[in-house]
Each structure stands twice: as structure tokens, then as C-alpha cells.
Amino acid sequence: MAKIHFRPYTTKQILLFPQRIDENIAEDDPVRLVNGLIDQLDLTSFRKLYKEAGRSPFHPRMMLKAVIYGYMNNVYSCRKIEERLVRDVHFIWLAGYEHPDYITINRFRNRVKKEINDVFTQVVLLLAERGFVSLDVEYIDGTKIESKANKYTFVWRKTVEKNRAKLLEKIKVLLSQIDDVIAQDNASEQEKEEFTPDMLYSMARELNAALAEEPEPATKEEKKERKARQKQVKDLEGKAKKLTEYDQHLETLGERNSYSKTDPDATFMRRKEDAMNNGQTVPCYNLQIGTENQFITDFGFFHNPNDTGTMIPFLSSFSDRYGHMPKECCADSGYGSEENYSFMEACDTEAFVKYNFFHKEQKRTFKDDIFRIENLYYNRDEDYYVCPMGQHMERVGTRHNRTERGYRTLNAVYRAGNCEGCPLRWGCYKKRQGNREIEVNHRLMEYKQQARDRLTSEKGLEHRSRRPIEPEAVFGQMKYDMQYKRFRHFGKDKVTMDFAFFATAFNIKKMIATMKRAA
């Protein structure tokens, strides 16, 4: 029987690892591409973040490589990155056998929270140089990502305004009960103006000073009266403190309807991914991204839950980042508004953006509905509509509206001459009395016609077929492949920093995968 000879095995040998640790790393391994790509970046702006005196810090290029490679491998925790720098041969080689602890890694991320945005831009420009993106087409979409804040720390505008109004009424009643010249004079001065916390605190100080100047009470009734007045002044101070709290809530809210106490930058929103399936609102950020060939070319965070009001500032950020506006922009119906169409027209951006009834108006039921405004005959020269019964609807006025951003819209009002006894009234006009009135935004109708012509053209059909596999695919890979579903930081500035690291890692990972498929 042949004797089996095993290879020698010992863990206490002098040289356990090879002299060059990269011998165990393949030539086409992603870590080598990450190393080479980040070496090409200009990190001059990082130098101003460090002091010349003191202990020598870790090299920022090494730290940047370690963090980005960690994000590429779904490692977002500083503690886990620290572990990988000791256990994973790829991290060890990338870091040059440096061992920064998790505190140092976290401090580095926070230190470069402004500069990392420039790193993201540089990576996208490198992608453009290599032909992965053109930066001429922008596919825009948004998603809501949950904040780290507690779900039950909400502050609602309506509740604050309601309680604040009640508090002001209580303050008026309290001042009427305080039998003092100071309180009555201040109350009479504020009959038309609203009370402020500073005013109430000043009033309380004056009342306390007046009480201190009075002689000590001699009888039991005088002592009782003095205690009652002191209690009223203390109650006034408490209401001033509460009014201060309400005013701070309103200041933090700004134009929002809600915010979280633990993360004031987060707004309560409803999400499609509802774990409890009951429509519960959770503290979120509205993340907007622009993509091309499934690369993230731009991103931004917004407080408002709807997408309509985010498009203009988001496209403006694209111009600030790359020095020009995209030549073509494609988005879903959530972005189709007169204000957005007007902005893109002024910027010479061809808008392949749907509006809310784009798909519905393609159906036969919509086209055959003779009562809809879109299907009524309009005489442009004489400016009147013709109702289904052939009656002229003359223009009787104009209504002016303003959006949240201050954009002015004009709605023309048309009214029929006499709808009494009309046999088609049942489907034409729901009110029992009066003549039918319609409001028409002619400028928006023109923008819709332009969008319709673009979207039904050959190029528009191509954009419409690509749009679902552009930002939607990125969101799917982000949330389910890379498990980036919830932020790990408080505050918009840190959330932006964290996503800038992620977007940079995402683009590098996508570039490597694209190169491997092409090879």
C-alpha cells in the first residue's frame, strides 16, 4: 500500500504570506481598476483640510480608495471597513497595509463631505472622456429614501398652527386676568398685533420687578393674593416658552408640512415600499437622480415629496456641475408642468417629458368624449370655444395663479351663453343652475402639444423605451443589489456626503462591469 505524503502545514512559519501581497490579486480584478482610476483624480482641494503641524495623517488618496472600494462591496459601516483592512487581501493591498481605525475613517468621510461632490464630478467626466456617457441626455426620476430618524418624532404644520392659535387665545385670557397696569397696557397694544416670546418675557420681567418693589404682605389675604399673582407671572413665562417652541417649529418647517425632531432636514412622506401596507408616512428624503446608460450623472435631495417642484433646481445643479444644460431631457408625467416646460424651453433643452393625461388621451374613450375641453372646437382667431350643442363659449375673464416658486400662470375663462334646457347638460355641466364655465391655460396646451409631438416621434419612442431601464434600473440595483435602502446619517449635508460616496462607487462598479462585458 502506497504511503500518502501531505504538503507541510504550519501556521508558525516565519514567512506566512508572499513577499508581494498582490501576487494573489488577478490582473483584471476590480480593485486594480479602482486603484488606477482614483490615482488619476485631482485631490488638491483635500490638502486644505489638514493641518501642517502635528502627527502625520493617513494619505487622503488611500482613505478615499478604501472607502469607495468598501461602498462598491456593499460595506457602508466604518467598523466593517476597518475589519476588511485587516482581513481582506484586496483592502490590505489597496491601503498599502495601513490600518486606520473606524473613528479615523468616519472622521475622514465627514471632513471631505464637500470635496467628495467634486470627486463624483471628476469620475463622471472621466466616464465622458472614455465614451461611457455623453452628458447630452438626462433621464430624470426620483425615489424616497428613509432617514435614520425615528418614525414617531413627527412635527406637523397643521398641529403646530392649531396649537399656537389656541395658545395665543390663552395668553390674551391670562393677561386679562392679571390685574396690573403693565399687563393691561401691553395687552391693549397687542390687540391688533400678534404676541412674540420676547414681548411676553419682557412683560414677565416687568411684573416680577413690580412685585419685588411692593412691601411684604401683612395679612393672610394679602399673602394669598401675592402668591396668585406670582403664579400668573410664572404661567406667563411658561406660555412664552411654549410660544418660542411653536415658533421654532414653524421656522424649521419653512415651506414644508412636516419634519422629524431627530432629523429636522427629513420630511414625512409616503413610499411605495411600505413595510406595513397601511400608507404610513416615514421620515424621508426625496432623492432625484439623472442617469445616462445607467450611470448616475447627477443627484440632489429635496424636502418636498412631489417631483414637479424639483426639476428646475435639479437641472440647474446639472448646469453648475458640468457648465452646460443637457440637450435632451426625458422624465415621466410627474414632471410635466408649464413651469418646467417653460424652463427647459428657455435653456434650449428638448423636453421629452410626459404630462398627466398623456397615456389616457391616447385611448378611444378619451378621444370620443365630446364633453372634454381637449375635444371642444376652438376658434383661435376670434377666441371662443364651441360646446357640443354648437353654442359659442365666449371669453369672460382671466384668472392669475402663482406656483410655489413664484411662476405666474394665466387661465382664460370661457362661459356659454345659455345652458338652460340643453339636452346634453347631464354630461356637459354638473351644476344644476347657471351656464357652463371652463378654464383653459393656452400656454400649457401649447407645451403639451409640443411634448406630444416629441414623444410620438421616432426619437421620442426611443427615449420612452429607454426611460424605464435608465433611472428605474439604477434604483433597483441601488436598493436590492447593493442594499442601499436607508441612510445612516442625520442631516442633509451628511446624507449628501454619504450618497456622493455611493454614487461614485456605483459608477466605478458599473464602468468595470461594462468593460468586462465588452471584453
Side-chain angles (χ1 to χ4, degrees):
M1 183 176 179
K3 186 177 181 181
I4 301 175
H5 295 278
F6 293 102
R7 291 174 59 89
Y9 167 71
T10 176
T11 59
K12 296 183 179 181
Q13 55 184 299
I14 298 175
L15 186 63
L16 185 61
F17 293 103
Q19 293 181 352
R20 289 188 56 187
I21 198 169
D22 62 336
E23 290 181 9
N24 296 328
I25 300 175
E27 290 297 328
D28 60 346
D29 194 279
V31 71
R32 293 186 181 275
L33 297 174
V34 172
N35 183 62
L37 189 143
I38 296 180
D39 281 339
Q40 299 178 42
L41 302 179
D42 181 13
L43 303 184
T44 307
S45 60
F46 282 42
R47 298 186 64 87
K48 63 182 181 181
L49 304 176
Y50 295 89
K51 297 179 181 179
E52 295 181 0
R55 183 181 177 183
S56 299
F58 289 103
H59 201 290
R61 198 176 297 273
M62 179 276 294
M63 298 291 292
L64 183 64
K65 292 177 183 179
V67 175
I68 288 180
Y69 190 65
Y71 275 62
M72 287 176 61
N73 290 274
N74 302 4
V75 181
Y76 310 112
S77 166
C78 293
R79 293 178 184 270
K80 291 184 178 179
I81 292 176
E82 179 189 5
E83 291 179 3
R84 295 293 185 94
L85 287 170
V86 177
R87 298 180 179 181
D88 192 314
V89 65
H90 299 84
F91 279 87
I92 294 172
W93 173 78
L94 192 64
Y97 209 69
E98 294 284 1
H99 300 145
D101 60 10
Y102 70 92
I103 298 176
T104 304
I105 297 170
N106 185 56
R107 191 181 294 121
F108 170 78
R109 288 195 309 185
N110 291 326
R111 178 181 284 141
V112 302
K113 62 184 177 183
K114 292 182 179 179
E115 285 70 19
I116 189 60
N117 194 45
D118 179 60
V119 170
F120 167 78
T121 305
Q122 288 188 57
V123 171
V124 175
L125 291 174
L126 282 174
L127 293 173
E129 288 178 6
R130 300 184 182 187
F132 292 98
V133 295
S134 65
L135 296 180
D136 291 332
V137 183
E138 186 86 340
Y139 293 90
I140 300 175
D141 205 355
T143 188
K144 298 174 181 64
I145 299 185
E146 187 177 350
S147 167
K148 186 182 178 182
N150 189 291
K151 297 179 182 179
Y152 305 104
T153 57
F154 41 77
V155 176
W156 298 100
R157 174 182 292 279
K158 289 184 178 180
T159 304
V160 173
E161 291 176 345
K162 180 181 177 182
N163 292 337
R164 189 176 184 277
K166 289 181 179 179
L167 180 64
L168 291 174
E169 291 298 323
K170 291 180 181 179
I171 291 171
K172 291 179 182 179
V173 173
L174 178 62
L175 292 177
S176 65
Q177 293 173 352
I178 297 176
D179 186 17
D180 193 280
V181 177
I182 298 171
Q184 297 305 323
D185 289 345
N186 281 278
S188 61
E189 289 176 2
Q190 295 304 318
E191 286 181 356
K192 296 181 180 180
E193 299 181 10
E194 198 174 73
F195 290 104
T196 63
D198 291 338
M199 185 184 304
L200 296 177
Y201 280 124
S202 176
M203 198 184 306
R205 285 194 298 269
E206 291 180 15
L207 289 170
N208 281 324
L211 284 171
E213 292 177 357
E214 293 180 358
E216 288 294 327
T219 64
K220 188 175 181 180
E221 289 75 13
E222 290 178 352
K223 291 181 179 179
K224 185 176 180 181
E225 182 183 354
R226 185 182 180 89
K227 285 184 179 180
R229 292 174 64 185
Q230 289 175 342
K231 183 179 179 183
Q232 288 175 337
V233 175
K234 189 175 182 180
D235 192 13
L236 183 62
E237 292 176 345
K239 285 179 169 49
K241 184 179 180 181
K242 197 66 179 177
L243 185 60
T244 303
E245 181 183 336
Y246 287 144
D247 289 346
Q248 288 175 350
H249 285 324
L250 292 175
E251 183 180 355
T252 304
L253 281 166
E255 298 179 355
R256 294 180 290 167
N257 291 323
S258 64
Y259 79 90
S260 170
K261 291 180 182 178
T262 51
D263 187 0
D265 290 337
T267 307
F268 279 79
M269 309 177 189
R270 288 184 172 86
R271 301 184 305 158
K272 294 179 182 178
E273 306 90 357
D274 186 3
M276 301 181 69
N277 295 320
N278 58 0
Q280 181 181 0
T281 57
V282 293
C284 293
Y285 288 91
N286 185 357
L287 168 64
Q288 298 288 316
I289 65 168
T291 68
E292 185 183 356
N293 297 329
Q294 295 187 15
F295 289 95
I296 301 174
T297 56
D298 196 12
F299 64 89
F301 291 94
F302 300 90
H303 296 307
N304 46 324
N306 62 327
D307 294 331
T308 309
T310 65
M311 191 171 203
I312 293 177
F314 182 70
L315 285 176
S316 300
S317 72
F318 184 94
S319 176
D320 295 339
R321 191 183 294 275
Y322 302 112
H324 66 87
M325 293 290 290
K327 295 179 180 178
E328 299 172 0
C329 179
C330 185
D332 61 16
S333 58
Y335 301 86
S337 68
E338 179 189 348
E339 185 179 8
N340 292 339
Y341 287 132
S342 175
F343 178 80
M344 285 183 281
E345 183 182 51
C347 297
D348 293 328
T349 297
E350 198 171 2
F352 294 89
V353 180
K354 298 177 185 177
Y355 46 89
N356 51 357
F357 280 99
F358 174 74
H359 289 291
K360 192 173 182 179
E361 69 180 16
Q362 311 296 326
K363 298 181 180 179
R364 184 174 296 277
T365 53
F366 186 96
K367 294 179 180 179
D368 293 343
D369 189 351
I370 60 174
F371 303 113
R372 297 196 65 89
I373 297 174
E374 294 83 357
N375 296 330
L376 298 180
Y377 172 75
Y378 175 63
N379 188 313
R380 186 179 297 274
D381 296 330
E382 300 183 22
D383 194 16
Y384 67 82
Y385 278 85
V386 179
C387 78
M389 281 297 294
Q391 183 179 182
H392 286 195
M393 303 180 71
E394 303 291 344
R395 183 167 181 170
V396 295
T398 304
R399 290 200 175 102
H400 301 267
N401 297 313
R402 286 187 181 274
T403 65
E404 294 180 357
R405 293 177 55 83
Y407 181 81
R408 186 178 180 183
T409 61
L410 302 176
N411 291 353
V413 182
Y414 297 87
R415 183 185 300 155
N418 184 13
C419 294
E420 187 176 352
C422 177
L424 297 179
R425 188 183 181 96
W426 60 271
C428 186
Y429 198 46
K430 302 300 181 183
K431 292 184 179 180
R432 296 183 179 181
Q433 296 179 349
N435 302 324
R436 183 182 181 185
E437 282 189 2
I438 60 174
E439 286 190 26
V440 181
N441 187 331
H442 289 292
R443 193 177 184 190
L444 180 58
M445 296 283 278
E446 292 177 3
Y447 283 135
K448 285 183 176 180
Q449 182 61 48
Q450 294 173 9
R452 189 182 305 116
D453 294 339
R454 290 195 187 102
L455 291 166
T456 53
S457 66
E458 185 176 349
K459 184 187 289 186
L461 292 172
E462 181 183 352
H463 282 309
R464 286 166 58 189
S465 64
R466 283 189 60 188
R467 195 202 66 80
I469 61 173
E470 278 285 343
E472 297 290 349
V474 172
F475 288 143
Q477 295 166 26
M478 179 178 76
K479 293 183 178 180
Y480 300 102
D481 294 345
M482 301 184 73
Q483 293 298 309
Y484 196 86
K485 297 182 179 180
R486 187 183 184 192
F487 291 120
R488 297 161 177 81
H489 303 272
F490 294 113
K492 185 179 177 181
D493 56 343
K494 291 188 177 181
V495 164
T496 304
M497 170 272 295
D498 190 64
F499 190 80
F501 273 108
F502 174 83
T504 305
F506 181 92
N507 284 343
I508 296 175
K509 188 175 182 179
K510 175 70 68 173
M511 181 193 70
I512 294 170
T514 305
M515 292 170 61
K516 283 188 175 182
R517 285 196 300 268

